[in-house]
Each structure stands twice: as structure tokens, then as C-alpha cells.
Amino acid sequence: MKMKWLPIAAAVTAALASQAAFAVDFHGYFRSGVGVSDNGDMQTMSKNRVGRLGNEAETYSEVQLGQEVYNKNNQTFYVDSMFAMVAGKQGRDWESTSGDSADFALRQFNVQAKNLFGGNETLWAGKRYYQRHDIHISDTYYWDVSGAGAGVENIEVGPGKLSVAVVRNDPWDAIYKGDTEANTQYRLDANRNYVLDDKGNKIKIDDRVNTNTFDIRYAGIPLWTDASLEVGYDYAMANLTDEQERQNPDYKDGHMFTAELTQSMLGGFNKTVAQYFLDGLAKQGVDYGAGSGSGLSQAASSGDGFRLINWGVLPVGDKVEFGHQILYAQANGLDKDTTDMDTFSAVVRPMYKWNDVMKTIAEVGYFKDNKDVNGVKTSSDGAKYTLAQAWSAGSSFWARPEIRVFASYMQQDGNFRENSNGIKQDDAWNFGVQAEAWW
């Protein structure tokens, strides 16, 4: 009987060895948990402004699969893919699109070819996350033109590396509205076939504006010790049909200029970012946008704006690390009604390490928005305070997976669920448990 199984065992071993030689790279991200508030389901507010800890009520996940399919003469071809799911209701263990409780998306599918021209550059094409810059503690992407496109990155030019790309970034819900203002933001109907204007009228999504973003950036410019600079320019070009050009000949494209200084210090880092926005992208700074063509808006096409950001993660001794965000943005001359807007946000997340797997985390966030509408100045502000006990796979600020038990107090006038008298509440308490992981 033993002799009978030997050939089978040998065949299985050979098959497994063969598969290992072509192993698929498996990466991903997810966050998920459960929370309640003092008035039913967990309440949230803008995490870009006040931070994400204890302020995320959904399940979000990404599964990334990739494989190197060619490697010869130091030249490689790699196929990458990513699927994502988000479920906002968190009502049970079966989330589906039929119940309008989950959305599924193809986030990436591309080919990356390295060193084809002998300079260690990467030629790529397809749908891709493209060199995204974000603030982790607030989930704010301040430079992100991801989409379907093509480019060449990491070309060695002088002391730094040059990258160029063109990416398709159609506005999310932007449409062409006949002989009225183009590219205005509307909401999708339930079947996602139309957008609805403020009166509920249906307009076909097929009439939205086609937008391409041209991205050029130069990174790794050495400055002083442990400091480097990256600069870039993004041009969001609307590719209008003949009819759209006839109806709106003054349609303006968008521009974004970015400079980012990175300083390594104390075993952590600090980034200072300056951005300038013009024409169709003028509102990106005050909207906490990423500068992609999906944010192109003709409601702001005559204005300009800027954004200043300082953020990072720094250790203080062996037991404490803290992340921070300070952001200020301003936009001017936006349209005939809203001439000026500005926003300020500050978020601090200190963390104390009890041992290699247990930590206590606090997060405090505050924002204030100001707006000038028809000469009438208004402002709004809000704050969030979160305390969490966490267990993670390591003591680092970035150690994941992590399980957190949290309590949050939030305050923003009229932002939370209605009470028994039908009046929206000004504050809310949240209690919950969340897991977060990347691998």
C-alpha cells in the first residue's frame, strides 16, 4: 500500500513546487467593526477634518492579487489587480448590492514593465492607484489622480526621478445640463442610470464630461540631511463633445501645482505640502480634494485657491508616538454667489505603548469652515475626541493588524441624527470595536 501512494505523493509534491515557482502576490487592506451611539446607530462626521479614529462606521476592504509573468535580462513584466468592497449599513453577515447595502468595484488592473529601456524605469498601462499621497490619520488624499491610463515612472534624471502619466478621471456625478451650466454636481438615482437635479429631474449620465488628467512629477530631489523635495503639475483637461463646446464655449480646464518637502527626524518623518489650484480645480483645497479630474467643477471655474499641509508621525522616547495634521486652504472668486471660502483643520493622535502588543490611543480633531455667500459671511465648526484601547501585531504606530475598543464624543451643530422631537442633534457619543489590517 505504501508503494502505491509513493508516485501520487511525488506528483503532488512536484505540483506544489511548480505552483510555488509561480506564486501569486497577495496584498490587501480592510477595516471593519461595530458601533452604537447614544441615539441608535453609530454617528460620524467628516473624518478628513477631525480624524478617522472612532469615526468610521463601515466595512471597507481591498484584495490585491499580482504576479510577475516575465523576468529575463533584468527586464520584468508584472500583472496587478485589485477588487474592493464597501458596506455602509453593517446590518448582518451578508452584504449585497441587491439590498443596496454594499458596493463592489474594480480598483486596479494593470501591467507594469520594468527596465525595458535600461534605466530602471517602469512603463505601465491599465487601471491603477498612481503614486497616491495621503494623510493616514484623516484618510485625506491630497494628491491622487488614480484611474485608467498609462505612463512612465521613476526615470532617472539628474539627482531625482521623473514620472509622466495621463489618467482618465471623469467627474464622479458630473453631467452636461443642456444650455445651462455644465459639469455641476448632482446625485445618482437608485438605478445609477441618471443623475437627479435639485428638482428631481432625470438627466442621462452618458452626457457627463469626459476628462483626462496629465500628471508630471519630479521626486527625490535632495536638499539637506534627511530631507527631499517632490514637485508636480496636474492638468485636468475636459474632452468635450461638439455639442458641449457649442453650448458652453467658456468651459475651463483645471490646474494643480504641488510641492512636498519630506524631512526624516527622530526615527519618524514630517511632511510640509504647498498646493495651488486654478480654474476648474479651484475648489479642491477647500473641498479636501485630491486634484484629480474627477473633482473638475465649472461652478468654481473662474477662481483659484491654495492649500498648506503639515503632517507626520514622530516618536517621543521609547513609549510615545504621535501623528498630526494641520491643514489650511482658501479659495477665491469661485462663482457669482460664493466668492470666498476657507477651511482649517487640526488633528492630533498620540499613542502610548504598554508593551509590544498593547497600546492606548487618543485622537483630538477640530475644524472650522468659513464661507462668503452673496456678501453674507457664515461659518461652521466641529470637534471630535476619541479614546481607544488597542492591541496590534507590534508596538509601532503603523503596526497592523490592530483591534481597537473606542469611545468618541463629537460636536457639530445640526450634524447628527434627529431626536424624538425631530430636531437634529448637535453632538453624539459613539462606542464600538474596530479591526484594521494591511498586508
Side-chain angles (χ1 to χ4, degrees):
M1 183 65 68
K2 284 185 178 181
M3 296 301 295
K4 182 177 180 180
W5 283 102
L6 283 176
I8 299 176
V12 170
T13 301
L16 290 174
S18 175
Q19 289 300 315
F22 297 96
V24 172
D25 295 328
F26 174 44
H27 303 286
Y29 170 83
F30 89 89
R31 60 176 180 266
S32 182
V34 63
V36 297
S37 76
D38 55 344
N39 186 15
D41 292 343
M42 184 173 169
Q43 306 289 287
T44 61
M45 60 192 299
S46 173
K47 60 185 177 181
N48 296 153
R49 289 167 166 81
V50 297
R52 66 193 298 177
L53 187 66
N55 192 24
E56 294 175 316
E58 78 282 1
T59 289
Y60 177 78
S61 62
E62 297 173 341
V63 174
Q64 185 172 8
L65 301 173
Q67 185 173 25
E68 185 180 90
V69 297
Y70 179 90
N71 189 331
K72 189 176 180 180
N73 299 325
N74 202 30
Q75 297 175 324
T76 65
F77 283 80
Y78 190 89
V79 178
D80 202 12
S81 67
M82 178 184 284
F83 300 87
M85 184 276 287
V86 61
K89 292 186 177 179
Q90 300 260 73
R92 54 184 183 180
D93 67 333
W94 185 271
E95 309 289 358
S96 67
T97 55
S98 61
D100 196 31
S101 61
D103 283 321
F104 295 83
L106 175 65
R107 303 301 304 273
Q108 301 193 72
F109 227 131
N110 61 80
V111 172
Q112 301 169 33
K114 293 187 177 181
N115 202 34
L116 297 186
F117 312 113
N120 295 316
E121 72 293 317
T122 299
L123 173 68
W124 67 273
K127 190 177 180 72
R128 187 183 176 198
Y129 283 175
Y130 183 66
Q131 298 195 29
R132 306 190 305 168
H133 293 234
D134 71 298
I135 307 170
H136 174 72
I137 62 173
S138 64
D139 204 26
T140 299
Y141 285 81
Y142 56 88
W143 193 2
D144 180 12
V145 298
S146 299
V152 183
E153 61 182 343
N154 298 324
I155 306 167
E156 294 183 4
V157 179
K161 293 186 177 181
L162 176 70
S163 299
V164 293
V166 57
V167 186
R168 183 66 170 271
N169 289 153
D170 290 348
W172 289 110
D173 301 336
I175 53 88
Y176 184 71
K177 193 183 175 187
D179 56 356
T180 61
E181 190 173 64
N183 196 26
T184 307
Q185 298 298 315
Y186 293 83
R187 58 190 176 89
L188 291 168
D189 75 336
N191 296 322
R192 306 182 72 85
N193 295 324
Y194 297 86
V195 288
L196 308 178
D197 65 15
D198 54 1
K199 297 180 181 178
N201 300 316
K202 289 185 175 182
I203 306 166
K204 289 183 180 179
I205 286 180
D206 290 343
D207 291 334
R208 64 186 171 185
V209 174
N210 174 315
T211 305
N212 296 310
T213 298
F214 297 88
D215 179 281
I216 181 169
R217 55 186 80 187
Y218 187 53
I221 306 169
L223 298 177
W224 49 86
T225 303
D226 297 327
S228 63
L229 177 68
E230 180 172 0
V231 295
Y233 167 65
D234 292 272
Y235 172 49
M237 183 187 73
N239 185 21
L240 303 178
T241 65
D242 291 342
E243 177 63 15
Q244 289 170 343
E245 287 186 343
R246 185 186 69 82
Q247 295 286 357
N248 192 356
D250 297 326
Y251 199 101
K252 291 188 177 180
D253 300 330
H255 308 266
M256 181 180 81
F257 303 84
T258 301
E260 179 183 87
L261 169 65
T262 301
Q263 175 72 63
S264 298
M265 58 175 66
L266 303 175
F269 68 91
N270 185 81
K271 291 179 180 284
T272 301
V273 184
Q275 295 178 297
Y276 176 69
F277 309 92
L278 187 64
D279 295 339
L281 293 178
K283 283 186 67 178
Q284 284 292 279
V286 293
D287 283 349
Y288 291 75
S292 106
S294 61
L296 197 66
S297 171
Q298 290 306 291
S301 65
S302 62
D304 64 353
F306 69 89
R307 175 165 59 191
L308 300 175
I309 301 171
N310 185 273
W311 78 278
V313 176
L314 296 170
V316 180
D318 296 332
K319 291 291 188 179
V320 177
E321 287 186 78
F322 71 92
H324 73 278
Q325 164 186 308
I326 301 173
L327 182 152
Y328 178 77
Q330 187 179 101
N332 305 284
L334 298 179
D335 57 40
K336 64 179 183 298
D337 295 327
T338 305
T339 57
D340 299 286
M341 294 177 65
D342 66 76
T343 183
F344 170 78
S345 166
V347 183
V348 178
R349 184 193 287 192
M351 177 188 78
Y352 182 81
K353 310 172 188 180
W354 296 97
N355 53 46
D356 286 344
V357 297
M358 186 172 73
K359 60 188 72 167
T360 299
I361 310 171
E363 186 173 86
V364 178
Y366 171 80
F367 82 92
K368 185 171 184 178
D369 292 343
N370 297 301
K371 185 182 294 188
D372 186 336
V373 180
N374 290 325
V376 178
K377 296 182 178 180
T378 59
S379 66
S380 62
D381 62 359
K384 179 186 72 73
Y385 308 87
T386 301
L387 184 65
Q389 187 65 34
W391 297 265
S392 60
S395 62
S396 165
F397 187 95
W398 304 103
R400 302 292 186 276
E402 185 170 88
I403 298 173
R404 310 156 180 153
V405 179
F406 64 84
S408 290
Y409 173 74
M410 305 178 176
Q411 189 283 321
Q412 184 180 356
D413 291 348
N415 186 63
F416 304 103
R417 177 171 295 155
E418 295 178 354
N419 60 20
S420 57
N421 297 320
I423 300 174
K424 282 201 168 185
Q425 295 179 299
D426 297 334
D427 58 6
W429 279 95
N430 285 327
F431 304 91
V433 181
Q434 186 191 47
E436 183 181 43
W438 51 68
W439 63 94

